[in-house]
Amino acid sequence: MKKNILKNLALGLMLLFAASAFAQDEAVPFAVADKAPAYPGCENLSGEVLQDCTSQKIINFVNANFDTSLGKKLGIVGSTRIVVQFKIDADGNTTDVRSRSLDNDAKVRERLQTEANRVVEKLPNMKPAEKEGKKVAILYSLPIQFEVPKTTEEKN
């Protein structure tokens, strides 16, 4: 059921290249880091395999912990999108979590943003990224496509 509701979460973690609301004085873009942050269980990997492992584990964590009952509670019909931006700091902590829902309804936007922030803030501590042998903060953007499938009655 969660796979249907959070369809397209596998769009994955996208690099936040453009200017954002984050203070970028200490954070580097993902592509510039020599070594990506490592989610628990990915620490012994390197290169693209490390990036893919960390991204997939973050996606799985969000998918498993997002309160999918919000769709029914909020009366969402169809799909809506939430973009969560966050930083994995030089200590491996998830910080500066911000989200933006693209839903038209202000109440729905607020609840989805709050839920997305809650889940991302619970991410486990990770091994930080490195640039030139130094631990650095990395910026991420995670798009979430939240879908509520139509029931059989609504389809007919």
Side-chain angles (χ1 to χ4, degrees):
M1 174 86 179
K2 286 187 178 186
K3 286 182 183 178
N4 290 334
I5 294 175
L6 293 177
K7 183 179 176 191
N8 294 326
L9 181 60
L11 288 173
L13 294 175
M14 296 177 1
L15 175 61
L16 181 62
F17 285 109
S20 72
F22 292 115
Q24 294 190 18
D25 55 336
E26 63 183 77
V28 298
F30 187 77
V32 175
D34 298 328
K35 189 168 185 177
Y39 193 96
C42 302
E43 300 93 349
N44 296 324
L45 303 173
S46 61
E48 287 184 28
V49 176
L50 170 59
Q51 293 172 5
D52 292 345
C53 181
T54 295
S55 294
Q56 190 59 53
K57 292 214 181 232
I58 290 172
I59 290 166
N60 292 345
F61 182 90
V62 171
N63 196 21
N65 291 284
F66 201 96
D67 180 5
T68 57
S69 70
L70 281 177
K72 187 174 182 178
K73 291 176 189 172
L74 297 172
I76 296 173
V77 177
S79 68
T80 189
R81 186 177 167 127
I82 312 150
V83 178
V84 185
Q85 296 176 338
F86 60 98
K87 199 184 289 185
I88 298 173
D89 71 15
D91 293 321
N93 299 308
T94 303
T95 64
D96 298 336
V97 179
R98 296 190 173 113
S99 63
R100 177 160 171 83
S101 168
L102 304 180
D103 197 272
N104 293 328
D105 184 298
K107 179 181 173 187
V108 171
R109 277 194 312 270
E110 182 180 338
R111 291 288 305 275
L112 290 175
Q113 290 170 180
T114 299
E115 179 61 9
N117 290 352
R118 181 193 70 80
V119 173
V120 170
E121 287 169 352
K122 291 179 122 185
L123 283 167
N125 187 275
M126 298 179 218
K127 185 175 179 183
E130 294 181 15
K131 170 98 173 113
E132 298 172 359
K134 183 180 175 185
K135 294 177 182 179
V136 294
I138 294 291
L139 301 172
Y140 277 96
S141 181
L142 175 66
I144 302 171
Q145 188 71 29
F146 188 88
E147 291 197 24
V148 179
K150 292 182 179 179
T151 64
T152 305
E153 291 175 11
E154 291 173 333
K155 288 179 184 176
N156 293 329

